[in-house]
Amino acid sequence: MSDAPTATGPRHPHDRAGRRLISLDLLRGLTVLGMIIVNSTAGVQKRDGPVFPLLLHADWAGFTIADSIFPAFILMVGVSVAISSRGTAPETKRVLLRAGRLILLGLFLSNMFWLYTSAKYHPRLPGVLQRIGIVYAVTALLYPITTPRMRAWIAGVLLLLYWPLCLIPSPDGLPTDIWVQGHNFASWADRAALGTLRFVKGPDGYDPEGLLSTIPTIAEALIGTLVGDYLRRALPTGEASKRMALAALAMIAGGLVWGLVFPIAKNLWTSSFVLLTSGIALLLLAGLHRFRDRRDAPEIRGGLLGSFGRNAIAAYALHEVASIILLSDALQWPFRQLAPVTGTQIAALAPVLIFTALVWWPIAAMDRRGWYLKI
Protein backbone atom coordinates (compact mmCIF):
# COMPACT_ATOMS: atom_id res chain seq x y z
CA MET A 1 0.00 0.00 0.00
CA SER A 2 3.02 2.25 -0.01
CA ASP A 3 3.88 1.62 -3.64
CA ALA A 4 3.54 4.36 -6.21
CA PRO A 5 1.56 4.33 -9.85
CA THR A 6 2.22 3.18 -13.57
CA ALA A 7 -0.14 3.18 -16.56
CA THR A 8 -0.54 1.23 -19.76
CA GLY A 9 0.03 2.75 -23.17
CA PRO A 10 2.51 5.42 -24.25
CA ARG A 11 4.12 7.30 -21.41
CA HIS A 12 3.79 10.97 -20.85
CA PRO A 13 7.22 12.64 -21.13
CA HIS A 14 7.08 13.43 -17.41
CA ASP A 15 5.51 10.15 -16.32
CA ARG A 16 5.84 9.68 -12.55
CA ALA A 17 5.81 5.87 -12.72
CA GLY A 18 7.89 4.37 -9.93
CA ARG A 19 8.48 7.69 -8.15
CA ARG A 20 7.10 8.21 -4.67
CA LEU A 21 4.65 11.03 -4.22
CA ILE A 22 5.19 12.87 -0.95
CA SER A 23 1.52 13.89 -0.94
CA LEU A 24 0.42 10.25 -1.08
CA ASP A 25 2.69 9.30 1.82
CA LEU A 26 1.36 12.22 3.85
CA LEU A 27 -2.28 11.38 3.12
CA ARG A 28 -1.61 7.76 4.05
CA GLY A 29 0.08 8.96 7.23
CA LEU A 30 -2.87 11.21 8.05
CA THR A 31 -5.29 8.31 7.66
CA VAL A 32 -3.09 6.03 9.80
CA LEU A 33 -3.01 8.73 12.48
CA GLY A 34 -6.80 9.09 12.26
CA MET A 35 -7.26 5.32 12.42
CA ILE A 36 -5.19 5.04 15.60
CA ILE A 37 -7.06 7.91 17.25
CA VAL A 38 -10.49 6.55 16.24
CA ASN A 39 -9.78 2.95 17.26
CA SER A 40 -8.22 3.93 20.58
CA THR A 41 -11.10 6.34 21.29
CA ALA A 42 -13.54 3.46 20.80
CA GLY A 43 -11.48 1.38 23.24
CA VAL A 44 -11.48 4.14 25.84
CA GLN A 45 -15.23 4.64 25.44
CA LYS A 46 -15.97 1.01 26.29
CA ARG A 47 -14.33 1.49 29.68
CA ASP A 48 -14.66 5.14 30.57
CA GLY A 49 -17.89 6.44 29.07
CA PRO A 50 -18.84 9.19 26.60
CA VAL A 51 -16.28 10.49 24.11
CA PHE A 52 -16.57 12.92 21.20
CA PRO A 53 -19.16 11.34 18.83
CA LEU A 54 -17.31 12.49 15.70
CA LEU A 55 -14.44 10.17 16.69
CA LEU A 56 -16.75 7.16 16.64
CA HIS A 57 -18.33 5.45 13.64
CA ALA A 58 -21.98 6.14 12.89
CA ASP A 59 -24.21 3.34 14.16
CA TRP A 60 -25.79 2.93 10.72
CA ALA A 61 -26.94 5.73 8.41
CA GLY A 62 -24.99 8.91 9.00
CA PHE A 63 -21.44 10.13 8.74
CA THR A 64 -18.64 11.09 11.11
CA ILE A 65 -14.95 11.92 10.78
CA ALA A 66 -14.20 8.34 11.79
CA ASP A 67 -16.14 7.02 8.79
CA SER A 68 -13.83 8.77 6.32
CA ILE A 69 -10.64 6.93 7.32
CA PHE A 70 -10.93 3.39 5.95
CA PRO A 71 -12.27 4.50 2.54
CA ALA A 72 -9.27 6.83 2.17
CA PHE A 73 -7.05 3.76 2.44
CA ILE A 74 -9.10 2.03 -0.25
CA LEU A 75 -8.82 5.01 -2.61
CA MET A 76 -5.06 5.05 -2.03
CA VAL A 77 -4.83 1.38 -2.91
CA GLY A 78 -6.06 2.32 -6.38
CA VAL A 79 -3.80 5.37 -6.61
CA SER A 80 -0.78 3.28 -5.61
CA VAL A 81 -1.61 0.52 -8.09
CA ALA A 82 -1.67 3.09 -10.88
CA ILE A 83 1.49 4.94 -9.79
CA SER A 84 3.56 1.78 -9.31
CA SER A 85 2.54 0.07 -12.55
CA ARG A 86 5.22 -0.30 -15.21
CA GLY A 87 2.81 -0.53 -18.10
CA THR A 88 2.92 -4.33 -18.32
CA ALA A 89 0.68 -6.93 -16.77
CA PRO A 90 1.83 -7.75 -13.23
CA GLU A 91 2.76 -11.31 -12.41
CA THR A 92 -0.46 -12.86 -11.16
CA LYS A 93 1.39 -14.99 -8.66
CA ARG A 94 3.10 -11.95 -7.14
CA VAL A 95 -0.18 -10.05 -6.80
CA LEU A 96 -2.00 -13.00 -5.24
CA LEU A 97 0.86 -13.72 -2.85
CA ARG A 98 0.90 -10.13 -1.68
CA ALA A 99 -2.88 -10.13 -1.25
CA GLY A 100 -2.64 -13.45 0.60
CA ARG A 101 -0.06 -12.06 3.03
CA LEU A 102 -2.30 -9.08 3.76
CA ILE A 103 -5.26 -11.38 4.38
CA LEU A 104 -3.26 -13.71 6.65
CA LEU A 105 -1.91 -10.79 8.67
CA GLY A 106 -5.44 -9.41 8.92
CA LEU A 107 -6.79 -12.76 10.13
CA PHE A 108 -4.13 -12.91 12.83
CA LEU A 109 -4.72 -9.34 14.03
CA SER A 110 -8.51 -9.79 13.96
CA ASN A 111 -8.30 -12.95 16.05
CA MET A 112 -5.20 -12.61 18.24
CA PHE A 113 -7.19 -11.91 21.42
CA TRP A 114 -9.52 -14.80 20.62
CA LEU A 115 -6.46 -17.05 20.20
CA TYR A 116 -5.26 -15.89 23.61
CA THR A 117 -8.57 -16.27 25.45
CA SER A 118 -11.42 -17.74 23.41
CA ALA A 119 -13.76 -17.50 26.40
CA LYS A 120 -13.92 -13.68 26.23
CA TYR A 121 -13.59 -12.95 22.49
CA HIS A 122 -15.17 -14.31 19.31
CA PRO A 123 -13.39 -15.35 16.08
CA ARG A 124 -13.90 -13.23 12.97
CA LEU A 125 -13.14 -13.87 9.31
CA PRO A 126 -13.58 -10.44 7.65
CA GLY A 127 -11.49 -7.44 8.64
CA VAL A 128 -9.70 -4.32 7.46
CA LEU A 129 -6.57 -5.94 6.02
CA GLN A 130 -8.61 -8.81 4.61
CA ARG A 131 -10.73 -6.34 2.65
CA ILE A 132 -7.68 -4.39 1.52
CA GLY A 133 -6.04 -7.61 0.32
CA ILE A 134 -9.08 -8.61 -1.76
CA VAL A 135 -9.52 -5.13 -3.21
CA TYR A 136 -5.81 -4.85 -4.02
CA ALA A 137 -5.81 -8.19 -5.86
CA VAL A 138 -8.84 -7.33 -8.00
CA THR A 139 -7.59 -3.81 -8.77
CA ALA A 140 -4.00 -4.81 -9.54
CA LEU A 141 -5.11 -7.57 -11.90
CA LEU A 142 -7.70 -5.39 -13.65
CA TYR A 143 -5.53 -2.31 -14.03
CA PRO A 144 -3.14 -3.35 -16.84
CA ILE A 145 -5.87 -4.93 -18.99
CA THR A 146 -8.28 -1.99 -18.88
CA THR A 147 -8.23 1.60 -20.05
CA PRO A 148 -9.15 4.49 -17.75
CA ARG A 149 -12.50 4.78 -19.51
CA MET A 150 -13.22 1.09 -18.97
CA ARG A 151 -12.34 1.36 -15.29
CA ALA A 152 -14.60 4.41 -14.93
CA TRP A 153 -17.45 2.46 -16.52
CA ILE A 154 -16.83 -0.59 -14.32
CA ALA A 155 -16.79 1.56 -11.17
CA GLY A 156 -19.99 3.32 -12.21
CA VAL A 157 -21.80 0.08 -13.02
CA LEU A 158 -20.76 -1.49 -9.71
CA LEU A 159 -22.04 1.51 -7.76
CA LEU A 160 -25.32 1.63 -9.67
CA LEU A 161 -26.03 -2.10 -9.41
CA TYR A 162 -25.20 -2.26 -5.71
CA TRP A 163 -28.23 -0.07 -4.94
CA PRO A 164 -30.94 -2.46 -6.24
CA LEU A 165 -28.90 -5.40 -4.93
CA CYS A 166 -29.33 -4.09 -1.39
CA LEU A 167 -33.09 -3.74 -1.97
CA ILE A 168 -33.69 -7.41 -2.86
CA PRO A 169 -36.03 -8.89 -0.21
CA SER A 170 -34.14 -10.85 2.44
CA PRO A 171 -34.89 -14.59 2.31
CA ASP A 172 -35.13 -14.66 6.12
CA GLY A 173 -38.23 -12.44 5.97
CA LEU A 174 -36.71 -9.36 7.60
CA PRO A 175 -38.52 -6.30 6.11
CA THR A 176 -36.33 -4.43 3.64
CA ASP A 177 -35.42 -0.94 4.83
CA ILE A 178 -31.90 0.23 4.03
CA TRP A 179 -32.25 3.03 6.58
CA VAL A 180 -32.47 0.43 9.36
CA GLN A 181 -29.54 -1.68 10.56
CA GLY A 182 -29.31 -5.05 8.84
CA HIS A 183 -32.60 -4.77 6.95
CA ASN A 184 -31.13 -5.33 3.49
CA PHE A 185 -29.97 -8.14 1.23
CA ALA A 186 -26.24 -7.48 1.74
CA SER A 187 -26.61 -7.86 5.51
CA TRP A 188 -28.63 -11.03 5.01
CA ALA A 189 -25.77 -12.42 2.90
CA ASP A 190 -23.40 -11.81 5.83
CA ARG A 191 -25.76 -13.57 8.23
CA ALA A 192 -26.19 -16.51 5.86
CA ALA A 193 -22.53 -16.93 4.88
CA LEU A 194 -20.67 -15.89 8.03
CA GLY A 195 -23.06 -16.98 10.76
CA THR A 196 -21.57 -16.26 14.19
CA LEU A 197 -18.29 -15.14 12.59
CA ARG A 198 -19.83 -11.82 11.57
CA PHE A 199 -18.99 -8.76 13.66
CA VAL A 200 -22.54 -7.69 14.61
CA LYS A 201 -24.63 -10.49 16.07
CA GLY A 202 -28.39 -10.86 16.34
CA PRO A 203 -31.25 -11.31 13.85
CA ASP A 204 -30.38 -7.99 12.14
CA GLY A 205 -26.63 -8.56 12.31
CA TYR A 206 -24.08 -7.94 9.58
CA ASP A 207 -20.36 -7.40 9.08
CA PRO A 208 -18.95 -3.94 8.26
CA GLU A 209 -16.38 -5.69 6.04
CA GLY A 210 -18.93 -8.13 4.69
CA LEU A 211 -19.25 -10.04 1.44
CA LEU A 212 -21.43 -8.00 -0.92
CA SER A 213 -20.26 -4.64 0.44
CA THR A 214 -16.85 -5.49 -1.02
CA ILE A 215 -18.35 -4.73 -4.45
CA PRO A 216 -18.60 -0.94 -4.01
CA THR A 217 -15.25 -1.02 -2.17
CA ILE A 218 -13.65 -2.31 -5.37
CA ALA A 219 -15.35 0.55 -7.23
CA GLU A 220 -13.70 3.01 -4.82
CA ALA A 221 -10.27 1.54 -5.54
CA LEU A 222 -10.94 1.79 -9.28
CA ILE A 223 -11.74 5.47 -8.81
CA GLY A 224 -8.34 5.68 -7.13
CA THR A 225 -6.64 4.28 -10.23
CA LEU A 226 -8.10 7.15 -12.26
CA VAL A 227 -6.59 9.60 -9.78
CA GLY A 228 -3.27 7.77 -10.03
CA ASP A 229 -3.33 7.94 -13.82
CA TYR A 230 -3.88 11.67 -13.61
CA LEU A 231 -1.06 12.20 -11.11
CA ARG A 232 1.34 10.27 -13.32
CA ARG A 233 1.05 12.93 -15.95
CA ALA A 234 3.08 15.25 -13.69
CA LEU A 235 1.18 18.37 -14.65
CA PRO A 236 2.02 21.61 -12.81
CA THR A 237 0.86 21.07 -9.25
CA GLY A 238 -1.31 24.19 -9.19
CA GLU A 239 -3.27 23.12 -12.26
CA ALA A 240 -3.48 19.46 -11.24
CA SER A 241 -4.58 20.20 -7.67
CA LYS A 242 -7.26 22.61 -8.89
CA ARG A 243 -8.76 20.01 -11.24
CA MET A 244 -8.56 17.33 -8.55
CA ALA A 245 -10.31 19.61 -6.08
CA LEU A 246 -13.12 20.32 -8.54
CA ALA A 247 -13.57 16.60 -9.18
CA ALA A 248 -13.55 16.00 -5.43
CA LEU A 249 -16.24 18.61 -4.81
CA ALA A 250 -18.38 17.10 -7.56
CA MET A 251 -18.11 13.66 -5.95
CA ILE A 252 -18.93 15.05 -2.51
CA ALA A 253 -22.01 16.79 -3.91
CA GLY A 254 -23.03 13.65 -5.79
CA GLY A 255 -22.66 11.53 -2.66
CA LEU A 256 -24.73 13.91 -0.56
CA VAL A 257 -27.51 14.05 -3.14
CA TRP A 258 -27.54 10.28 -3.67
CA GLY A 259 -27.54 9.89 0.11
CA LEU A 260 -31.05 11.31 0.22
CA VAL A 261 -32.37 8.06 -1.27
CA PHE A 262 -29.50 5.59 -0.76
CA PRO A 263 -28.25 6.42 2.75
CA ILE A 264 -24.64 7.25 3.49
CA ALA A 265 -23.69 4.24 5.61
CA LYS A 266 -20.18 2.94 6.18
CA ASN A 267 -21.37 -0.39 7.57
CA LEU A 268 -23.14 -1.09 4.27
CA TRP A 269 -20.49 0.76 2.22
CA THR A 270 -23.26 2.33 0.17
CA SER A 271 -22.62 3.91 -3.23
CA SER A 272 -23.36 7.37 -1.83
CA PHE A 273 -20.79 6.67 0.88
CA VAL A 274 -18.23 5.79 -1.81
CA LEU A 275 -18.73 9.08 -3.65
CA LEU A 276 -18.63 11.16 -0.48
CA THR A 277 -15.53 9.53 0.99
CA SER A 278 -13.68 9.41 -2.33
CA GLY A 279 -14.33 13.11 -2.71
CA ILE A 280 -13.07 13.91 0.78
CA ALA A 281 -9.89 11.88 0.33
CA LEU A 282 -9.26 13.38 -3.11
CA LEU A 283 -9.76 16.90 -1.75
CA LEU A 284 -7.12 16.28 0.91
CA LEU A 285 -4.79 14.74 -1.67
CA ALA A 286 -5.26 17.76 -3.95
CA GLY A 287 -4.19 20.11 -1.16
CA LEU A 288 -1.18 18.02 -0.22
CA HIS A 289 -0.20 17.68 -3.88
CA ARG A 290 -0.37 21.45 -4.33
CA PHE A 291 1.96 22.24 -1.45
CA ARG A 292 4.20 19.18 -1.09
CA ASP A 293 4.86 17.85 -4.61
CA ARG A 294 5.82 21.13 -6.29
CA ARG A 295 9.54 20.45 -6.58
CA ASP A 296 9.64 16.87 -5.37
CA ALA A 297 10.86 18.18 -2.03
CA PRO A 298 13.02 15.75 -0.04
CA GLU A 299 11.24 13.51 2.42
CA ILE A 300 11.64 14.37 6.10
CA ARG A 301 12.47 11.17 7.95
CA GLY A 302 10.93 10.66 11.36
CA GLY A 303 8.07 13.13 10.96
CA LEU A 304 4.61 12.27 12.25
CA LEU A 305 2.64 11.84 9.01
CA GLY A 306 5.53 10.77 6.80
CA SER A 307 6.64 8.02 9.19
CA PHE A 308 3.14 6.62 9.47
CA GLY A 309 2.61 6.91 5.71
CA ARG A 310 5.80 5.13 4.67
CA ASN A 311 5.31 2.36 7.23
CA ALA A 312 1.53 2.04 7.26
CA ILE A 313 1.44 -1.76 7.67
CA ALA A 314 3.87 -1.67 10.61
CA ALA A 315 1.89 1.13 12.27
CA TYR A 316 -1.40 -0.70 11.80
CA ALA A 317 -0.04 -3.98 13.17
CA LEU A 318 1.69 -2.28 16.11
CA HIS A 319 -1.39 -0.32 17.16
CA GLU A 320 -3.50 -3.48 17.05
CA VAL A 321 -1.04 -5.53 19.09
CA ALA A 322 -0.43 -2.73 21.60
CA SER A 323 -4.09 -1.76 22.03
CA ILE A 324 -4.32 -3.74 25.26
CA ILE A 325 -2.24 -1.08 27.03
CA LEU A 326 -5.14 1.37 26.67
CA LEU A 327 -6.63 -0.41 29.67
CA SER A 328 -3.48 -0.11 31.77
CA ASP A 329 -3.40 1.98 34.94
CA ALA A 330 -0.64 4.17 33.49
CA LEU A 331 -2.81 5.34 30.60
CA GLN A 332 -5.95 5.46 32.72
CA TRP A 333 -4.38 7.71 35.35
CA PRO A 334 -4.49 10.96 33.29
CA PHE A 335 -8.09 10.22 32.38
CA ARG A 336 -9.10 9.81 36.02
CA GLN A 337 -7.35 13.07 36.93
CA LEU A 338 -8.93 15.09 34.14
CA ALA A 339 -12.45 13.67 33.99
CA PRO A 340 -13.82 15.45 37.12
CA VAL A 341 -12.55 18.78 35.78
CA THR A 342 -13.06 18.58 32.00
CA GLY A 343 -15.65 15.83 31.59
CA THR A 344 -15.09 12.44 30.01
CA GLN A 345 -15.05 13.64 26.38
CA ILE A 346 -11.96 15.83 26.77
CA ALA A 347 -10.36 13.60 29.40
CA ALA A 348 -10.61 10.61 27.03
CA LEU A 349 -8.24 12.39 24.64
CA ALA A 350 -5.38 12.04 27.15
CA PRO A 351 -4.92 8.24 26.97
CA VAL A 352 -5.68 8.34 23.25
CA LEU A 353 -2.93 10.88 22.52
CA ILE A 354 -0.44 9.13 24.80
CA PHE A 355 -1.15 5.83 23.06
CA THR A 356 -0.77 7.46 19.64
CA ALA A 357 2.62 8.88 20.67
CA LEU A 358 3.74 5.47 21.94
CA VAL A 359 2.87 3.90 18.58
CA TRP A 360 4.52 6.71 16.62
CA TRP A 361 7.82 6.62 18.53
CA PRO A 362 9.11 3.23 17.23
CA ILE A 363 7.62 3.85 13.78
CA ALA A 364 9.51 7.16 13.55
CA ALA A 365 12.72 5.42 14.65
CA MET A 366 12.22 2.81 11.92
CA ASP A 367 11.64 5.56 9.37
CA ARG A 368 14.87 7.36 10.29
CA ARG A 369 16.77 4.10 9.84
CA GLY A 370 15.03 3.22 6.59
CA TRP A 371 13.34 0.12 8.02
CA TYR A 372 9.98 -0.63 6.39
CA LEU A 373 7.62 -3.55 6.73
CA LYS A 374 6.68 -4.79 3.27
CA ILE A 375 3.89 -7.27 2.65
Side-chain angles (χ1 to χ4, degrees), residues 184-317:
N184 60 83
F185 186 77
S187 296
W188 170 82
D190 292 340
R191 294 192 292 271
L194 299 174
T196 59
L197 297 180
R198 66 184 184 274
F199 186 72
V200 179
K201 314 299 183 184
D204 60 353
Y206 62 92
D207 199 288
E209 283 80 51
L211 303 178
L212 297 182
S213 60
T214 304
I215 295 171
T217 313
I218 292 170
E220 188 148 20
L222 292 175
I223 292 171
T225 65
L226 304 178
V227 176
D229 285 341
Y230 185 73
L231 285 171
R232 284 183 41 146
R233 297 171 59 187
L235 299 174
T237 55
E239 177 187 350
S241 60
K242 185 183 297 184
R243 293 182 181 180
M244 290 164 62
L246 290 174
L249 291 173
M251 282 194 285
I252 291 172
L256 292 173
V257 172
W258 202 349
L260 297 175
V261 289
F262 191 19
I264 296 168
K266 174 192 176 293
N267 289 324
L268 191 55
W269 213 279
T270 53
S271 304
S272 57
F273 174 78
V274 169
L275 290 183
L276 175 62
T277 55
S278 295
I280 292 172
L282 181 55
L283 192 61
L284 290 171
L285 184 60
L288 291 170
H289 181 61
R290 172 67 178 84
F291 294 107
R292 296 298 289 127
D293 290 329
R294 281 183 291 183
R295 289 180 292 276
D296 285 325
E299 298 170 327
I300 301 173
R301 301 291 175 175
L304 178 62
L305 299 186
S307 294
F308 277 149
R310 287 184 287 272
N311 231 343
I313 292 293
Y316 180 83

